[in-house]
Amino acid sequence: MSQHLLMIEDDARLAAMVGEYLEQNGFTVSKAPDGLSGLSRLNQAGDNHPPELVILDLMLPDIDGLEVCRRVRALPSSMAQIPILMLTAKGDPMDRIIGLEMGADDYLPKPFEPRELLARVRAILRRKTEPAIGANQSLLRFGSLSIDRDARTVTVGTDECDLTSYQFDLLVALAERAGRVLTRDQIMEAVRGRELEAFDRSIDVHMGRIRAAIESDPKDPKRILTVRGVGYVFARQQE
């Protein structure tokens, strides 16, 4: 059965071209011409038939892609975890950073090659479905922090943490290598991504969101530590 993608894009010509290309490569593609109709499609699909991934344009005629992303992440249950690949025609890196902070899993600037879009879609879906690298057991425990690789959930005490699919994989990549300093390139390689055009700041944004979810004080982290000029290390000993 083909995987279902939802493309929220107001450029009808681009949506038709990309949709046809993705369908030729085995996907089923639904299209929405603006943010509100895209959100309506997601609400109608519900938990029973949600798309596997949303391709979301940043510039839309009603509400912008950032607002759509925010509303998707506020949806109930598993719907909030749908991976989002954001398309942006803007060249300012800050727009990309804001998109990641709002919960996007990846971004692709326009104009783009359909083959690159396809590769990124497949990479995101692969991370969503494949087990983590080197997984010997399902559950990782570090003090009050529990990471269930099979269920793809993270809890601190009894509270479940809200992470995107990509952020979960980043956390697992670090936790499996606890005590080892990883560069940003090593982290991206560990999650099987040529992610975000090797844009180092994107990793920093995601790490900030992970810290906000798992740290008691994100400004004074105890679990994910920054090694200045190198990268990050996941602390072995935690409270």
Side-chain angles (χ1 to χ4, degrees), residues 4 46 61 71 79 82 95 115 121 139 156 178 199 214:
H4 176 211
R71 294 191 191 186
M79 292 287 287
I82 295 173
D95 292 310
R115 287 181 296 178
V121 167
L139 195 63
V156 177
F199 183 41
I214 70 172

Side-chain angles (χ1 to χ4, degrees), residues 7-210:
M7 185 171 189
I8 305 175
E9 168 62 66
D10 64 319
D11 185 333
R13 182 177 178 181
L14 176 64
M17 179 191 70
V18 171
E20 180 180 3
Y21 182 79
L22 292 171
E23 287 174 348
Q24 289 172 351
N25 284 275
F27 293 98
T28 299
V29 182
S30 297
K31 304 179 189 70
D34 54 57
L36 292 177
S37 61
L39 290 168
S40 177
R41 283 181 176 269
L42 287 173
N43 285 319
Q44 291 171 7
D47 285 334
N48 293 327
H49 304 287
E52 298 289 334
L53 179 143
V54 174
I55 300 171
L56 174 63
D57 188 23
L58 181 64
M59 301 299 292
L60 294 169
D62 49 1
I63 58 175
D64 65 29
L66 296 178
E67 176 63 15
V68 174
C69 186
R70 186 192 69 79
R71 294 191 191 186
V72 171
R73 292 295 176 241
L75 290 172
S77 64
S78 61
M79 292 287 287
Q81 303 303 316
I82 295 173
I84 296 174
L85 172 59
M86 187 168 283
L87 305 178
T88 172
K90 293 187 175 182
D92 186 353
M94 186 56 63
D95 292 310
R96 302 170 186 177
I97 293 170
I98 293 172
L100 295 171
E101 290 177 336
M102 296 295 289
D105 292 84
D106 197 355
Y107 71 81
L108 185 61
K110 294 179 179 179
F112 57 83
E113 287 289 333
R115 287 181 296 178
E116 182 175 5
L117 175 66
L118 176 63
R120 287 177 180 261
V121 167
R122 285 174 170 168
I124 293 171
L125 294 177
R126 186 168 59 244
R127 292 197 304 267
K128 179 180 176 183
T129 57
E130 287 187 355
I133 296 174
N136 297 318
Q137 58 185 17
S138 173
L139 195 63
L140 293 170
R141 290 187 184 276
F142 301 87
S144 60
L145 174 68
S146 296
I147 305 170
D148 190 326
R149 289 177 288 201
D150 287 347
R152 295 184 68 79
T153 58
V154 178
T155 56
V156 177
T158 58
D159 298 327
E160 185 168 339
C161 302
D162 183 19
L163 297 174
T164 68
S165 176
Y166 185 41
Q167 288 157 11
F168 177 85
D169 289 332
L170 288 173
L171 177 59
V172 168
L174 284 168
E176 287 179 342
R177 300 159 178 81
R180 175 183 166 190
V181 178
L182 300 177
T183 67
R184 291 167 177 79
D185 286 344
Q186 288 171 326
I187 294 170
M188 288 190 286
E189 181 180 354
V191 294
R192 298 183 176 89
R194 51 184 293 272
E195 296 303 320
L196 309 173
E197 301 173 334
F199 183 41
D200 282 356
R201 181 64 191 278
S202 68
I203 291 291
D204 299 336
V205 171
H206 282 299
M207 289 302 172
R209 290 183 63 85
I210 295 169

